[in-house]
Amino acid sequence: MFIHGAIGENVVATDARIGRHVPLHTTSGGKAILAELPDARVEEIIEQRGLSQRTDHTLSSREQLFAELDEIRERGYALNFEESIDGLHAVGAAIVDGEGVRGAISVAGAAHRMPESRCRNEIADRVLAATNEVELNLVHGSDSA
């Protein structure tokens, strides 16, 4: 479920509306969250929710998803190249504190403005920096953080 959103200058229509539910395996933030969960919990989610296909690029098999989750765990962030919406790329990272995964931060934009190389470098670095700040505030911040 999306709980917060911000729109930049070059707006791209997405389904990321506050309160809207989307399948975790179809978004960068959702995949980042799944990568923080034990495999048994991911299996439960798949069993309950399935692996619906939103575009031709959506991961739709357990094998594909678990291979992707392994890669996310290694690099620390998730990528979405037209898996939820055609023409949309996104980078997401999970927010984790001592109690587990709390959510995720993601940045999405038009594929032509966010090519794969930019996603893997500049945008991934910024997303990881933002999640790190939130995690530090969760762990060490005051009640107002």
Side-chain angles (χ1 to χ4, degrees):
M1 174 191 296
F2 294 101
I3 61 169
H4 180 73
I7 298 173
E9 294 175 13
N10 300 310
V11 177
V12 175
T14 70
D15 57 359
R17 292 177 188 81
I18 305 304
R20 182 175 168 96
H21 293 261
V22 296
L24 290 173
H25 73 284
T26 66
T27 68
S28 61
K31 291 190 297 181
I33 290 169
L34 289 172
E36 292 295 329
L37 300 176
D39 286 350
R41 179 66 182 122
V42 175
E43 287 284 1
E44 289 174 10
I45 292 168
I46 293 169
E47 193 64 36
Q48 292 171 355
R49 305 284 183 184
L51 292 172
S52 60
Q53 185 135 4
R54 298 189 69 190
T55 73
D56 290 342
H57 303 283
T58 304
L59 301 175
S60 58
S61 76
R62 280 179 162 81
E63 294 78 20
Q64 287 177 314
L65 179 60
F66 279 102
E68 178 80 6
L69 296 180
D70 286 341
E71 288 180 24
I72 294 165
R73 290 173 186 129
E74 283 184 34
R75 69 177 171 248
Y77 62 89
L79 297 164
N80 174 346
F81 297 124
E82 300 186 72
E83 295 170 51
S84 57
I85 297 173
D86 288 323
L88 186 81
H89 287 179
V91 179
I95 298 169
V96 182
D97 67 5
E99 297 183 31
V101 64
R102 297 296 190 121
I105 292 176
S106 65
V107 173
H112 72 275
R113 284 198 304 266
M114 288 180 54
E116 184 173 343
S117 62
R118 186 171 182 217
C119 288
R120 290 185 184 276
N121 296 296
E122 173 194 350
I123 296 170
D125 288 346
R126 291 179 182 206
V127 168
L128 290 169
T131 56
N132 183 250
E133 281 189 43
V134 172
E135 290 169 348
L136 287 170
N137 283 325
L138 285 171
V139 173
H140 302 290
S142 66
D143 290 337
S144 62

